[in-house]
Amino acid sequence: MLTPKQKAFADYYIECGNATEAAKRAGYKEKAAYATGAENLRKPQIIAYIEERQKQIEDSRIASAAEIMQYFTSVMRGEVKDQFGLDAPLAERTKAAVELAKRKVDVAQKTDTGGIVIVNNIPRPGKE
């Protein structure tokens, strides 16, 4: 269980990435901020709290596979405009279609309907 100061330290550390600054912001004495910050980063309960908070932040910020597929689909269909309000060029729409095809798997039949298959059927001299 973290004290309110330790929790504040951890939250500020996540925000700024500097243990001394986080200790100062959390209300620890300025003269002892360096030592307190370093000491706090060695405490398992504070480390665990920081890791859990970072995971929560990452989970909410990183796009899911479904979001990525929806984005590629909307680009491919021309629903996404560029910074000037123009339709995506055909080349970009084609790239989006290719990326979708790479990721498309027919789960019901358990077959891969996209991706790249390399076939090495080039005859080699002396190996016929």
Side-chain angles (χ1 to χ4, degrees):
M1 188 73 174
L2 298 180
T3 67
K5 254 188 190 180
Q6 288 173 330
K7 187 175 178 190
F9 165 81
D11 289 334
Y12 286 127
Y13 181 75
I14 292 168
E15 185 181 306
C16 71
N18 182 300
T20 303
E21 181 63 28
K24 289 176 186 176
R25 288 186 191 179
Y28 290 99
K29 294 181 182 176
E30 194 161 331
K31 289 183 180 182
Y34 178 81
T36 304
E39 180 184 324
N40 278 348
L41 289 179
R42 288 191 296 271
K43 293 181 180 177
Q45 67 270 24
I46 294 177
I47 293 169
Y49 176 80
I50 290 171
E51 288 172 351
E52 180 62 30
R53 288 287 295 133
Q54 286 176 328
K55 186 176 181 290
Q56 290 171 353
I57 292 166
E58 287 172 5
D59 288 348
S60 67
R61 286 183 154 177
I62 296 175
S64 67
E67 287 177 289
I68 293 167
M69 297 290 278
Q70 290 169 353
Y71 173 74
F72 282 137
T73 300
S74 60
V75 170
M76 181 194 73
R77 291 179 177 162
E79 297 167 354
V80 175
K81 307 289 185 192
D82 68 6
Q83 68 269 25
F84 303 110
L86 302 172
D87 289 333
L90 184 58
E92 294 303 315
R93 293 172 69 179
T94 303
K95 284 180 190 176
V98 168
E99 290 299 320
L100 269 172
K102 286 181 188 177
R103 290 163 174 81
K104 182 70 177 157
V105 175
D106 187 351
V107 179
Q109 295 181 7
K110 296 183 181 171
T111 57
D112 187 357
T113 60
I116 299 172
V117 177
I118 298 173
V119 178
N120 190 2
N121 62 355
I122 301 171
R124 296 191 178 144
K127 301 255 181 177
E128 292 143 17

